[in-house]
Amino acid sequence: MRPFAVIFSLFMALAILPAVAQDSEQRRPEPTGIFRLIPEDATTDHVLRTREGELPYTATAGTLDLFNPSGTLNAKIFYTAYVAKNGGKNRPLTFAFNGGPGAASAYLHLGILGPRILKFGADGTDGTQPELVDNPDSWLAFTDLVMVDPIGTGWSRATDEDTARRYYGVNADAESLAKAIALYTQKNDRLSSPIYLAGESYGGFRAAKVAGALKENQGILASGLVMISPMIDGRFLPGDLIDPLKAALQLPSLAAAELERQGRFTPEAVREAERFAMTDYLVSVAGAAPEGAQAKDIYARIAALTGLPVDVVAESRGFVSELYTKRAAGPGQVVSPYDAGHAAPDAYPEATADHNDDTVLDGFTRAYGPAFASYARHELGFASDMTYTLLNTEVNRRWDWDGSRSQADASGDLRDLLSVIPSFRVAIMHGYSDILTPYGASRFVLDHLPTRLAEGRTALLLYRGGHMFYTRDDSRQEAARDARAFFTEAGVN
């Protein structure tokens, strides 16, 4: 064939490609089943007014498709991405998710990270008339953001319940999210961006697992993790078992909450509680029951720190965790494990055990779900006829812990990531008054990492407030400043 004929043939082949692609697009099968309720991706332009000035950005609300080995679509993962205009392909890219398991990303999204946040009245605890406002402390100022809802939460769905349950487990969940992250980075040409993961509560544990799955199965090396109120080691979660170390690691958070309720909070006072917890208190609850003057002294100190009556402390031998929410704030009052610094009227004062709905999780923070659905529809252009699932208890109930929750541990994952990725860094953020995932447990994990791995590459950052400390304006602002420093110190802007 003559050169001219070859060139002409290639030109004609290239010329028809757009038409073929367009025809393929037109012939794409209509969504079926639950997927019919999920709209097409929506992209909108906005301007974030930060403390440093205006930042134009693009928001995309959409889904990423997951296929089984035979190529059949079996799930869609919903995400919301915020990308700064003119930020470049090398700008940090942070993927964020919540925990539960069974929680959607609306908590972090509208609570601390995103360009819009939800306010809960004058005292920060009224969810009856929440207000969506601009977030001048959004992390978009220093990193692009992708909020991800795991399968079964938000608007992320599988084809059917049997398929969905295959995602409800530590390993399957991490693999699916790693695939979603790989798909997003490929689709949006972000392979050269430093990749960070941010997760709250179980999401902190999840972040470590996803980082491992990214490395092992997607060839993507994460640059760091931001773990917010995380569960790292399941054995330190509150429970019925009498465990001296668990009790000692939780005690400073109990003391911080009492200081908040009394209006006497200072970091110095909490540090004194930390010293007591890991010395005299730990020795006392780990050994034989103290007697005489020694018992009187140790129980009085525990009572003063926690607000519990001395006789209650003595009866429990100092293991006060199970008694705290019902008894610490006084008769007729109950506190939330999510933020024990605030007390509310007890709905069941005659009961000896705590039967109250949680004043934080079942109270004002429930407004994050409908608020996000409204925000997506009216501001992001993503109008779904399916309700947004903020918390899915079915996911939590069916979760496969690959053993048991008390044996779940991500500290080994942190060790491996710090060892093989020289630039990898970890920031752990906690509220002082969170007694569900107390900061003492995270400190213990960090303190027991090899020094050569942890030194200069890990940090524990503490704020006033509880599990969702970011509902406090001062703590949210302080956390944003710390996050900016974390990303800047990593050599990115």
Side-chain angles (χ1 to χ4, degrees):
M1 185 178 290
R2 296 179 179 178
F4 175 82
V6 172
I7 294 172
F8 180 79
S9 297
L10 288 172
F11 175 81
M12 292 302 294
L14 290 171
I16 66 171
L17 280 178
V20 171
Q22 183 178 17
D23 185 58
S24 174
E25 189 73 24
Q26 290 173 347
R27 294 180 184 178
R28 180 178 295 172
E30 289 294 320
T32 59
I34 193 68
F35 296 151
R36 291 183 297 107
L37 303 177
I38 300 177
E40 294 293 323
D41 295 1
T43 299
T44 50
D45 294 323
H46 308 264
V47 175
L48 171 64
R49 292 170 177 81
T50 71
R51 299 185 188 281
E52 291 76 32
E54 293 187 345
L55 177 65
Y57 68 93
T58 298
T60 300
T63 56
L64 297 163
D65 294 342
L66 298 183
F67 298 86
N68 65 21
S70 66
T72 302
L73 176 67
N74 66 1
K76 285 179 174 285
I77 289 185
F78 175 75
Y79 72 94
T80 310
Y82 298 105
V83 178
K85 292 185 177 182
N86 304 318
K89 300 297 184 182
N90 295 325
R91 197 169 195 254
L93 180 60
T94 300
F95 293 86
F97 24 70
N98 273 83
S105 64
Y107 294 96
L108 287 178
H109 194 156
L110 299 183
I112 181 171
L113 302 183
R116 301 276 274 165
I117 54 172
L118 201 63
K119 305 282 283 186
F120 299 105
D123 68 349
T125 61
D126 184 2
T128 60
Q129 293 181 300
E131 181 184 9
L132 197 64
V133 300
D134 289 340
N135 180 12
D137 302 297
S138 171
W139 293 17
L140 181 57
F142 44 85
T143 175
D144 292 339
L145 298 165
V146 183
M147 315 295 182
V148 185
D149 290 342
I151 300 298
T153 73
W155 285 313
S156 296
R157 294 291 185 274
T159 51
D160 53 65
E161 277 303 309
D162 287 339
T163 302
R165 288 173 190 145
R166 296 173 196 161
Y167 290 97
Y168 300 165
V170 172
N171 297 320
D173 172 77
E175 292 293 344
S176 67
L177 292 173
K179 288 177 182 177
I181 291 170
L183 287 171
Y184 180 89
T185 56
Q186 293 167 16
K187 179 181 178 181
N188 294 278
D189 191 22
R190 297 301 298 268
L191 294 175
S192 62
S193 297
I195 301 299
Y196 289 82
L197 305 177
E200 178 181 9
S201 198
Y202 177 86
F205 176 91
R206 169 181 274 149
K209 297 296 181 181
V210 172
L214 281 171
K215 174 174 66 71
E216 293 298 319
N217 301 317
Q218 304 299 331
I220 296 175
L221 301 181
S223 294
L225 306 181
V226 181
M227 308 171 87
I228 300 171
S229 307
M231 178 201 104
I232 301 177
D233 190 335
R235 64 185 167 137
F236 297 135
L237 292 177
D240 296 330
L241 294 178
I242 297 175
D243 184 316
L245 180 57
K246 180 192 295 188
L249 296 178
Q250 188 192 44
L251 187 66
S253 290
L254 303 182
E258 168 66 5
L259 289 166
E260 286 285 8
R261 294 193 302 272
Q262 298 297 324
R264 299 185 292 108
F265 179 90
T266 64
E268 293 74 21
V270 179
R271 283 195 287 272
E272 181 58 35
E274 292 171 0
R275 286 188 287 271
F276 171 68
M278 297 306 290
T279 54
D280 294 350
Y281 176 77
L282 180 57
V283 170
S284 173
V285 293
E291 298 179 350
Q294 182 187 17
K296 183 177 180 181
D297 176 66
I298 197 78
Y299 294 150
R301 293 173 71 185
I302 297 170
L305 284 173
T306 62
L308 289 164
V310 174
D311 59 332
V312 170
V313 174
E315 186 177 352
S316 68
R317 267 212 55 201
F319 289 98
V320 298
S321 177
E322 295 300 304
L323 305 168
Y324 191 86
T325 59
K326 180 81 173 180
R327 306 293 295 273
Q333 296 286 303
V334 65
V335 299
S336 164
Y338 287 83
D339 188 352
H342 294 282
D346 189 353
Y348 304 93
E350 68 278 9
T352 56
D354 182 7
H355 294 287
N356 224 71
D357 281 353
D358 191 276
T359 58
V360 174
L361 190 68
D362 299 311
F364 65 97
T365 62
R366 289 285 180 166
Y368 279 123
F372 179 76
S374 176
Y375 166 63
R377 175 179 292 270
H378 298 294
E379 298 190 28
L380 302 181
F382 192 88
S384 175
D385 292 327
M386 181 169 52
T387 57
Y388 186 85
T389 304
L390 182 67
L391 285 173
N392 190 333
T393 56
E394 182 72 5
V395 172
N396 192 282
R397 187 174 69 84
R398 293 183 175 275
W399 199 254
D400 179 5
W401 287 94
D402 192 26
S404 68
R405 190 180 74 159
S406 63
Q407 296 173 324
D409 184 11
S411 60
D413 301 86
L414 295 181
R415 286 173 179 247
D416 292 339
L417 293 162
L418 287 164
S419 176
V420 301
I421 307 176
S423 60
F424 188 82
R425 301 166 74 248
V426 180
I428 302 179
M429 297 179 167
H430 273 284
Y432 280 105
S433 303
D434 176 6
I435 65 174
L436 183 71
T437 55
Y439 73 88
S442 291
R443 173 168 284 164
F444 181 88
V445 170
L446 291 181
D447 285 347
H448 288 80
L449 292 175
T451 303
R452 292 184 63 181
L453 295 182
E455 191 171 13
R457 299 169 63 194
T458 63
L460 178 65
L461 305 165
L462 302 176
Y463 311 96
R464 293 182 69 173
H467 199 71
M468 303 169 202
F469 58 82
Y470 46 77
T471 60
R472 291 177 55 124
D473 289 343
D474 56 346
S475 294
R476 183 181 63 255
Q477 292 163 12
E478 188 178 350
R481 289 193 295 270
D482 288 339
R484 180 187 288 273
F486 174 76
F487 281 87
T488 301
E489 289 168 9
V492 295
N493 295 297

